[in-house]
Amino acid sequence: APVPAPEPEPVAEAAEPLAPVKEAEPAAGEEADWKLLLVNPWNALPEDFSVELTTLASCGLKVDKRIQADLDEMLSACQEAGLRPLICSAYRTQAVQTRLYKNKISRLRAAGYSRESAEAEAGRWVAVPGTSEHQTGLALDIVSAGYQVLNKKQADTAEQKWLMEHCWE
């Protein structure tokens, strides 16, 4: 079986320093809606979070099985528009997210950052384990097959323009 390529680290910019992480919880008396799970630097995955995964035939990556049909439909519509979307990152385990985060810290330390500065800077580019939306199985990075770099230029591709216009559907 082919070995999957390592997942690229997402490129993002933090507008301000990150606040301490808290666990996301529904308000009192409300039932959690899996489609409205907020996971980010300020809202960690709930400790009891679990996900049932399915493997995408197109790329071998895993996603929450509840999104597969809608995802397939969206990607098919994008392809029918003559475009070539490519999923380059999807579900990540805690171990994978930890490895990505620690690798970023190591690279920053090698570049001369102090431990504290490296951890703060790493958190701007790679989600702290437990705070990555990729750990939900609901988030994917989709790029143009013709431009597979996750940077600001990706927004200029026809695939990203199509996704920005149609993803809500």
Side-chain angles (χ1 to χ4, degrees):
V3 176
E7 292 186 25
E9 291 182 19
V11 177
E13 294 186 30
E16 55 189 68
L18 303 178
V21 174
K22 65 180 180 180
E23 187 177 303
E25 295 180 22
E30 291 183 12
E31 186 177 318
D33 181 347
W34 69 269
K35 294 179 226 164
L36 299 175
L37 180 62
L38 178 61
V39 178
N40 60 25
W42 305 274
N43 298 280
L45 276 169
E47 281 188 33
D48 63 347
F49 179 79
S50 64
V51 60
E52 190 173 341
L53 299 168
T54 187
T55 301
L56 299 172
S58 63
C59 61
L61 297 174
K62 295 178 186 277
V63 296
D64 184 314
K65 76 180 238 173
R66 298 170 292 189
I67 71 167
Q68 184 177 14
D70 289 334
L71 175 63
D72 288 345
E73 185 179 333
M74 180 182 73
L75 293 176
S76 291
C78 188
Q79 291 165 345
E80 288 168 12
L83 304 172
R84 298 181 337 167
L86 178 69
I87 298 171
C88 65
S89 179
Y91 172 75
R92 295 183 191 149
T93 63
Q94 179 79 5
V96 167
Q97 193 63 37
T98 298
R99 179 177 46 84
L100 292 172
Y101 180 68
K102 286 183 176 182
N103 285 348
K104 184 65 173 178
I105 291 171
S106 294
R107 287 193 305 278
L108 291 166
R109 294 278 291 148
Y113 283 71
S114 69
R115 161 98 19 223
E116 185 177 294
S117 295
E119 288 175 0
E121 184 65 13
R124 291 183 63 215
W125 302 98
V126 179
V128 173
T131 69
S132 173
E133 63 275 12
H134 284 280
Q135 290 178 258
T136 69
L138 302 172
L140 301 99
D141 292 330
I142 302 173
V143 296
S144 167
Y147 187 78
Q148 297 182 27
V149 181
L150 281 172
N151 64 15
K152 290 180 182 183
K153 291 180 184 178
Q154 188 61 231
D156 295 330
T157 67
E159 287 79 359
Q160 290 305 312
K161 290 176 182 179
W162 187 95
L163 288 167
M164 286 186 270
E165 183 178 342
H166 297 279
C167 67
W168 66 271
E169 297 168 8

